[in-house]
Amino acid sequence: MIVSIADNIITPLGDTTAANIDAILDGRTGLRRHDGLFGLPEPVCASLIDRDDMRRRFGELCDIRGVAPDGYTIFEQMCVLTAVATIDAAGIDGGSPDLQLFISSTKGNVGLLADDMMHPGYPLGHSAMMVARFFSNPNIPVVASNACVSGVSAQIAAVRALLAGRCRHALVIGCDVLSRFIIAGFQSFKALASEPCRPFDAARCGLNLGEAAASMLLSSTDVDDRWCYIGCSNHNDANHISGPSRTAEGALRVIDDLHRALPDVAPACISLHGTATMYNDEMEAIAIHRAGLDNVPVMGLKGYYGHTLGAAGVLETVLTMAAIDRGIVLPTRGYADCGVSYPLNIASHVREVHGDCFYKIMSGFGGSNAGIAYRRTGGVV
Amino acid sequence: MTVVATCRITPQGCVLDGREVATGTLPDIYRALIGGYPKFFKMDPLCRLGFVAAELLLRDLDDATRAGMAVVLFNSMGSLHADRAFERTIIDPAQFYPSPATFVYTLANIVTGEIAIRHKISGETSFYILPAHDPEQMRLLTEDVALTSPVSHALSGWVEYVSDDEYEADFKIYRYD
């Protein structure tokens, strides 16, 4: 079986998974208003990493490991920091040929183009090699770049490499950092809310952006007291490149596939994308309704972190695992009144969870939809 | 997996199943061999490249085969051409005019979406970025799709657009055995 051995999250709310769950339960958010960010004319509500702190921590790490810190961008530093935390917790060797890296990112070092349109540090494959090189890992790293669904795509690619027996351990890293490029782009779409976002709420008016790095180590093992992979799915809407299907075709197919993977067990909860845009949240509600899962507890975590792009699928999977381990469904910060056509089982307060299986689903530009299901084997601790 | 058909497009021309079928720019090839899809001209060059190569391979397949197939594409530079185009619209505060029509193409996987829309493909669409053109890694990641989904065919290959003088699509249709 394929199980999650260890994980880590680095966000403005904390640099471990436990610290992030504690912060969520305290009702904290990383979202703040920033004026003049990246020299942009309009204020932005975003969740930003303390870059000086990251650089300091990366420098300390390099000192301890005897690695030259030069040439690592903030994006690569965050990938390495979360990867080291997860690999160390798992007690495995990052340089092992049994380990392969799967990185999820939408834009990586795109901010470098502002300095140089031919910048050699731009390609995501270059960043992936920088991360692999930090551990002296000999395998070619794979980057999944499928817009918002990237974090689930990378988990799916990792699961398949394990199923195929090409590696024993697959480290999935999700990370994106913000830049003038990304924020100006989302502003041009009129997609950004000026206040902390309100997923699925009647007053929702757009998304916030955020920075995060998250990682999880998936391994082939016989040990069964862990989060165990159950099923995965990826379907295109074949409808529009920048808007979701009005009938939620792709997302529905994904949920139906996940249900078929474990047909006798209803998920204890579904971790939704919940960007707080009008279209995304409505589409997800339609998908849940059409799948007949209106009664299943759902949650959306963008009110704490904003949309962390390539990190989101990994971040939100890890948080959902950690929440169920604590016996709870996390609150959906920003939600108050139902603002979708089919009411969801959603709340802004902590709820007890009943069951040991969950779905993580994502949808994004390019018509992509992806989902993955895990089950806690050996009983919820 | 068995290779059913191949298409390779570079600035030197378009080769379908080993036979040169057109030369010239992507719009030239589109006009000579395809036509009738005005949305082609809204696409950025990466999408145009992937669209033309996919069109020549997929248009003779039946609807049911296309609907369930996987689209698995790769490159090393992501959406570099579109990223540079968007960066030029925001770099100078005196000429700051970011547009959603440009920004939407700054995601590498949009090309998989354009192909899915055109051919009504509701199967998997995946885009991977690799450190270098690596046919073996590409074949493995494509083969792996069948491990977790009941798929009969895949459109798979390399699609890289650096500049008008430097681009390559190298696509295959695979049938899973």
Side-chain angles (χ1 to χ4, degrees):
Chain A
M1 72 184 85
I2 293 170
V3 301
S4 175
I5 298 284
D7 56 59
N8 170 261
I9 293 171
I10 297 174
T11 75
L13 296 185
D15 52 18
T16 64
T17 304
N20 274 276
I21 293 280
D22 291 343
I24 287 173
L25 297 179
D26 284 347
R28 289 163 54 201
T29 177
L31 294 167
R32 302 269 181 283
R33 179 186 158 121
H34 299 271
D35 289 294
L37 184 67
F38 302 120
L40 287 161
E42 292 171 44
V44 180
C45 180
S47 173
L48 302 180
I49 288 283
D50 179 342
R51 295 190 180 201
D52 292 337
D53 183 51
M54 283 300 131
R55 280 189 204 96
R56 183 185 54 74
R57 289 177 47 200
F58 183 74
E60 288 170 4
L61 177 68
C62 289
D63 283 348
I64 294 166
R65 303 267 168 146
V67 175
D70 311 324
Y72 282 84
T73 63
I74 189 75
F75 167 68
E76 292 149 6
Q77 291 175 4
M78 286 172 60
C79 288
V80 168
L81 284 165
T82 189
V84 165
T86 292
I87 286 176
D88 284 359
I92 64 161
D93 171 14
S96 166
D98 290 335
L99 172 73
Q100 189 174 3
L101 267 51
F102 294 85
I103 296 180
S104 160
S105 185
T106 64
K107 296 311 302 172
N109 284 331
V110 72
L112 295 177
L113 290 182
D115 302 327
D116 179 359
M117 288 288 204
M118 314 285 279
H119 202 294
Y122 164 88
L124 269 164
H126 170 85
S127 292
M129 289 300 284
M130 292 291 283
V131 177
R133 203 172 293 152
F134 186 90
F135 298 101
S136 305
N137 186 280
N139 297 313
I140 301 291
V142 171
V143 180
S145 199
N146 287 300
C148 313
V149 316
S150 301
V152 173
S153 293
Q155 291 177 59
I156 293 173
V159 160
R160 288 172 177 166
L162 292 164
L163 288 172
R166 283 204 303 284
C167 56
R168 278 183 52 220
H169 304 291
L171 180 66
V172 181
I173 303 169
C175 186
D176 261 304
V177 296
L178 297 178
S179 55
R180 184 176 165 86
F181 183 105
I182 292 172
I183 294 174
F186 276 91
Q187 283 178 336
S188 78
F189 260 109
K190 310 281 181 219
L192 299 184
S194 57
E195 303 292 326
C197 66
R198 311 193 61 172
F200 303 100
D201 188 77
R204 72 183 183 279
C205 58
L207 59 80
N208 310 125
L209 292 166
E211 299 180 316
S215 57
M216 58 197 296
L217 186 79
L218 297 174
S219 300
S220 295
T221 172
D222 299 330
V223 181
D224 70 351
D225 61 336
R226 307 271 187 175
W227 279 102
C228 180
Y229 161 79
I230 297 297
C232 66
S233 178
N234 176 320
H235 285 284
N236 202 284
D237 286 331
N239 173 64
H240 198 277
I241 56 167
S242 60
S245 161
R246 295 287 171 103
T247 49
E249 288 313 316
L252 176 63
R253 286 170 197 266
V254 165
I255 295 170
D256 283 347
D257 280 353
L258 298 181
H259 187 60
R260 265 192 291 276
L262 200 62
D264 299 332
V265 179
C269 72
I270 301 176
S271 181
L272 295 174
H273 190 22
T275 59
T277 64
M278 277 296 164
Y279 290 121
N280 175 81
D281 293 6
E282 174 70 8
M283 183 281 289
E284 287 193 298
I286 292 169
I288 296 291
H289 175 72
R290 287 187 65 193
L293 299 178
D294 311 61
N295 294 324
V296 173
V298 300
M299 59 176 155
L301 300 171
K302 301 293 191 290
Y304 303 98
Y305 303 106
H307 187 345
T308 54
L309 306 173
V314 185
L315 171 76
E316 294 166 13
T317 298
V318 169
L319 287 169
T320 307
M321 287 176 174
I324 298 176
D325 279 344
R326 292 197 191 188
I328 56 174
V329 177
L330 293 172
T332 297
R333 194 179 198 279
Y335 177 82
D337 303 310
C338 176
V340 290
S341 297
Y342 299 97
L344 296 163
N345 182 349
I346 190 168
S348 57
H349 56 266
V350 181
R351 295 177 291 168
E352 202 176 311
V353 75
H354 302 284
D356 56 8
C357 163
F358 75 91
Y359 302 166
K360 173 68 208 145
I361 63 171
M362 294 295 252
S363 300
F365 278 8
S368 305
N369 302 270
I372 193 159
Y374 291 93
R375 187 180 196 184
R376 178 85 205 190
T377 47
V380 174
V381 289
Chain B
M1 284 193 307
T2 307
V3 176
V4 177
T6 65
C7 181
R8 184 163 186 273
I9 300 174
T10 65
Q12 282 69 51
C14 174
V15 178
L16 189 61
D17 291 327
R19 196 169 58 87
E20 184 174 279
V21 291
T23 56
T25 65
L26 290 170
D28 291 343
I29 298 172
Y30 168 82
R31 286 190 195 92
L33 301 178
I34 302 170
Y37 196 69
K39 223 197 272 183
F40 170 83
F41 294 100
K42 280 178 70 178
M43 296 177 196
D44 86 313
L46 180 70
C47 288
R48 288 181 178 188
L49 177 60
F51 174 89
V52 170
E55 185 71 18
L56 299 176
L57 287 171
L58 295 178
R59 61 183 177 187
D60 295 330
L61 294 181
D62 62 82
D63 289 352
T65 301
R66 286 186 294 180
M69 73 189 309
V71 178
V72 188
L73 301 183
F74 305 84
N75 73 13
S76 69
M77 289 294 176
S79 53
L80 175 64
H81 191 278
D83 287 5
R84 284 177 174 158
F86 185 74
E87 184 66 38
R88 281 191 286 271
T89 70
I90 61 165
I91 200 159
D92 179 359
Q95 296 177 57
F96 184 81
Y97 58 100
S99 109
T102 311
F103 186 64
V104 72
Y105 289 104
T106 66
L107 290 163
N109 68 310
I110 296 296
V111 60
T112 66
E114 293 282 17
I115 293 167
I117 292 167
R118 167 64 164 178
H119 298 283
K120 299 187 170 59
I121 295 169
S122 55
E124 166 161 344
T125 49
S126 288
F127 202 100
Y128 298 106
I129 296 176
L130 301 174
H133 193 156
D134 184 343
E136 176 64 7
Q137 188 73 246
M138 289 159 54
R139 194 184 62 76
L140 290 173
L141 285 161
T142 306
E143 200 167 65
D144 282 357
V145 175
L147 292 171
T148 60
S149 68
V151 66
S152 68
H153 289 76
L155 170 71
S156 170
W158 186 257
V159 58
E160 183 98 284
Y161 202 102
V162 176
S163 70
D164 294 349
D165 306 318
E166 189 185 350
Y167 57 83
E168 180 185 10
D170 193 1
F171 283 7
K172 293 180 171 70
I173 301 284
Y174 286 108
R175 188 180 59 239
Y176 291 90
D177 301 321

